[in-house]
Amino acid sequence: MFKANLHIKSLVKVIYLIILATVFWGQPASAQTKEVVAEKGDGIFRLLKRYGLPAADYMQDFITLNKDALGKDNTLIAGAKYKLPDTANTVSDVPDQPVAAKTGLRTERHEIFGKKYENVVIESEQLKGAVYYLMSGHGGPDPGALGKYNNHLVAEDEYAYDVTLRLARNLISEGATVYMITIDPNDGIRDDSYLKVDKDEVCYPRLTIPLNQIKRLNQRSDAVNKLYVKNKGAFQRMVAIHVDSRSRAENIDVFFYHDKRSETGEKAAKILQQTFARKYQEHQPGRGYGGTVSERNLYVVKNTYPPAVYIELGNVNHQRDIQRLIISANRQALANWLYEGLVQDFKTNK
Ligand SMILES: [Zn+2]
């Protein structure tokens, strides 16, 4: 009796679900399809990611849906509208194969990004010819500025490195040549909040980093300059990334510095700063952004040959800054905005 009763209840439930399903699935797909506008620098991968759709599952559907609106090699056109695949209608049992195999896009494997991020889809060649030397601050025996958050030790060099790696990956995915000047052979891009403090970073190509500050800065400037000579004639930029502030007590904005003799460095710094101002306006209107561009006498900026920009992302000594930086999505956003600024710099100043 009890059992039979349960059966009837289940049956009612199933019928109810079938009716529901018919009502929802019966709607024309277009009624549920969301349209979005591609931003400058967007590839399919990035656009899907922004809307929380894993490219591995939705890339093919996106291409099918937007066939007529895509550019050459399935690139996106900034400002154009694209339909997002409907998550409810997407078959989830798509065989698990590399995205590139499905789309025809080339992938490159870069172990430096770690297991999860090592395969980089080359989405476009818009940065072809550009060479970047990304110099993440400190490393090796020098952790840089130290902060504490929720009883965790927070070291500048680890957070600067994570943002720098993410930036490197963005640049590579658009066809740039990137040299990581500070290298951690085993960290990769990390999505953890608290990044383990270690001392195994080396200087390009695989040099032990000395503790002495002048020797350390000289070593990395030297690495950049040797590569600069090798890449002579190409569009080249040195980008140094830090998470500390020597000039302000309460620093919650992103600041940009250049050498006083470098007009090109100044131009690049200004484009980056303007990108940040625009991005903050777009994503956090009313927040206000006070990050500036200024000259500063910095060893690595003064002593490296390519036009250089030195960036302070915040300060691990300040709780509000750490709060921001321990969220990996925020580190990714910083890298994305830096990347967009650098694309703009390349297009404007090449
Ligand atoms: Zn620093």
Side-chain angles (χ1 to χ4, degrees):
M1 177 64 196
F2 183 73
K3 250 189 178 169
N5 208 349
L6 204 70
H7 277 304
I8 290 165
K9 265 192 190 160
S10 305
L11 195 66
V12 169
K13 230 186 226 168
V14 167
I15 291 167
Y16 177 65
L17 281 175
I18 289 170
I19 292 168
L20 255 188
T22 314
V23 168
F24 281 109
W25 289 339
Q27 305 240 345
S30 60
Q32 297 171 34
T33 306
K34 193 179 166 189
E35 274 198 334
V36 295
V37 177
E39 288 178 21
K40 220 177 212 155
D42 268 347
I44 298 177
F45 199 87
R46 188 162 300 139
L47 184 81
L48 286 174
K49 203 166 150 203
R50 187 177 313 132
Y51 291 94
L53 304 174
D57 296 331
Y58 295 102
M59 180 73 93
Q60 199 53 60
D61 292 353
F62 183 93
I63 291 170
T64 311
L65 264 176
N66 296 287
K67 261 197 314 279
D68 302 329
L70 294 171
K72 197 173 155 263
D73 297 328
N74 292 331
T75 47
L76 299 185
I77 296 150
K81 275 188 188 168
Y82 292 97
K83 294 185 186 101
L84 285 185
D86 185 354
T87 50
N89 285 344
T90 308
V91 190
S92 57
D93 58 356
V94 177
D96 200 9
Q97 53 172 306
V99 173
K102 288 194 242 169
T103 58
L105 290 174
R106 188 163 60 85
T107 58
E108 283 178 11
R109 185 155 164 257
H110 294 266
E111 281 177 27
I112 195 168
F113 299 128
K115 274 275 162 283
K116 189 173 165 191
Y117 292 98
E118 67 183 2
N119 290 318
V120 184
V121 177
I122 310 302
E123 296 189 49
S124 89
E125 302 280 345
Q126 65 170 332
L127 289 176
K128 200 181 164 90
V131 180
Y132 295 93
Y133 308 104
L134 303 187
M135 189 187 283
S136 168
H138 313 278
D142 170 29
L146 293 171
K148 239 190 162 143
Y149 196 80
N150 283 341
N151 277 324
H152 291 268
L153 180 67
V154 177
E156 175 188 1
D157 71 331
E158 303 297 338
Y159 287 82
Y161 187 70
D162 193 69
V163 174
T164 307
L165 269 187
R166 290 170 191 270
L167 171 61
R169 195 172 186 278
N170 284 349
L171 294 169
I172 288 171
S173 79
E174 306 292 335
T177 300
V178 177
Y179 295 92
M180 288 291 289
I181 299 303
T182 317
I183 297 166
D184 189 309
N186 56 17
D187 272 348
I189 292 174
R190 292 172 284 177
D191 289 328
D192 317 64
S193 293
Y194 300 105
L195 304 181
K196 204 176 128 264
V197 187
D198 60 23
K199 294 177 182 292
D200 61 353
E201 294 89 3
V202 291
C203 177
Y204 182 92
R206 276 287 187 276
L207 305 169
T208 305
I209 298 175
L211 182 58
N212 176 280
Q213 195 198 10
I214 292 298
K215 279 187 186 158
R216 178 162 49 76
L217 299 180
N218 196 44
Q219 178 187 56
R220 54 190 62 186
S221 302
D222 221 46
V224 171
N225 291 342
K226 277 183 190 150
L227 290 165
Y228 178 83
V229 172
K230 210 183 103 186
N231 291 308
K232 212 165 172 68
F235 173 97
Q236 306 191 48
R237 291 285 184 267
M238 196 283 276
V239 180
I241 297 182
H242 285 250
V243 195
D244 59 346
S245 155
R246 279 180 285 173
S247 47
R248 270 159 298 272
E250 194 64 40
N251 179 8
I252 57 157
D253 277 322
V254 180
F255 288 83
F256 302 91
Y257 303 94
H258 62 91
D259 188 70
K260 66 166 185 273
R261 301 161 305 174
S262 175
E263 216 176 285
T264 316
E266 182 178 359
K267 274 191 205 160
K270 280 185 174 159
I271 289 174
L272 285 167
Q273 190 268 354
Q274 284 156 9
T275 305
F276 270 69
R278 204 177 59 240
K279 287 291 172 182
Y280 273 125
Q281 184 59 33
E282 193 182 313
H283 295 277
Q284 295 175 50
R287 173 198 188 267
Y289 168 66
T292 54
V293 172
S294 44
E295 295 173 7
R296 196 158 136 193
N297 187 8
L298 296 154
Y299 190 98
V300 295
V301 172
K302 209 164 83 177
N303 292 291
T304 48
Y305 301 154
V309 182
Y310 182 107
I311 302 158
E312 276 172 3
L313 296 176
N315 193 336
V316 292
N317 281 309
H318 294 308
Q319 293 292 298
R320 278 176 68 187
D321 276 0
I322 303 182
Q323 207 171 22
R324 219 161 38 107
L325 283 162
I326 59 168
I327 299 166
S328 66
N330 287 343
R331 298 197 293 272
Q332 185 61 49
L334 287 169
N336 291 351
W337 297 1
L338 290 173
Y339 146 79
E340 283 189 39
L342 289 174
V343 169
Q344 199 55 42
D345 168 46
F346 178 65
K347 289 186 171 163
T348 313
N349 298 319
K350 71 177 167 188

